[in-house]
């Protein structure tokens, strides 16, 4: 999958999604992946075409049903960089 934009979403678009955005940037750097735009937002902005990949916590998975499953990463623990890296590697390669 060609990923150019990743969108992290949480209920308010401020707290946890910003933290996940920072973690994604760290993990992408570790993976040697460049040229991917990462931003945080509210779940209400999550819709097909808004990004190539959407990252949300397990508690918000039900709010993004309109997006194809292959474009979604659901985190069981939003602070676990190991889980994040594993799931990003599955999507990015």
């Amino acid at each position: 999958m060609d990923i150019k934009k990743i969108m992290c979403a949480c209920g308010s678009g401020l707290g946890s999604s910003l933290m996940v955005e920072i973690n994604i940037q760290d993990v992408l750097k570790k993976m040697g992946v460049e040229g991917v735009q990462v931003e945080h937002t509210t779940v209400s902005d999550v819709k097909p075409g808004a990004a190539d990949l959407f990252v949300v916590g397990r508690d918000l998975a039900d709010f993004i049903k309109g997006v194809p499953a292959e474009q979604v990463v659901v985190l069981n623990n939003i602070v676990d960089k190991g889980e994040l890296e594993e799931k990003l590697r599955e999507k990015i390669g």
Side-chain angles (χ1 to χ4, degrees):
M1 183 185 302
D2 188 29
I3 307 290
K4 296 292 181 209
K5 183 175 179 181
I6 299 174
M7 191 178 275
C8 318
C10 68
S12 66
L14 297 171
S16 59
S17 61
L18 175 58
M19 185 180 61
V20 173
E21 175 185 341
I22 292 165
N23 287 347
I24 288 173
Q25 290 169 340
D26 290 347
V27 168
L28 291 177
K29 183 183 249 182
K30 178 182 175 188
M31 292 169 56
V33 176
E34 297 179 353
V36 177
Q37 178 185 350
V38 184
E39 61 183 48
H40 63 281
T41 188
T42 67
V43 288
S44 61
D45 289 335
V46 173
K47 50 187 154 293
D52 302 308
L53 191 64
F54 300 92
V55 180
V56 297
R58 167 106 17 239
D59 58 325
L60 297 174
D62 290 344
F63 291 96
I64 58 167
K65 292 211 180 294
V67 176
E70 65 270 9
Q71 291 183 296
V72 177
V73 169
V74 177
L75 299 174
N76 293 310
N77 181 348
I78 63 170
V79 296
D80 183 348
K81 282 189 182 179
E83 177 191 4
L84 178 62
E85 181 177 349
E86 179 183 320
K87 291 183 174 182
L88 285 179
R89 286 188 186 279
E90 288 173 11
K91 300 292 185 179
I92 296 174

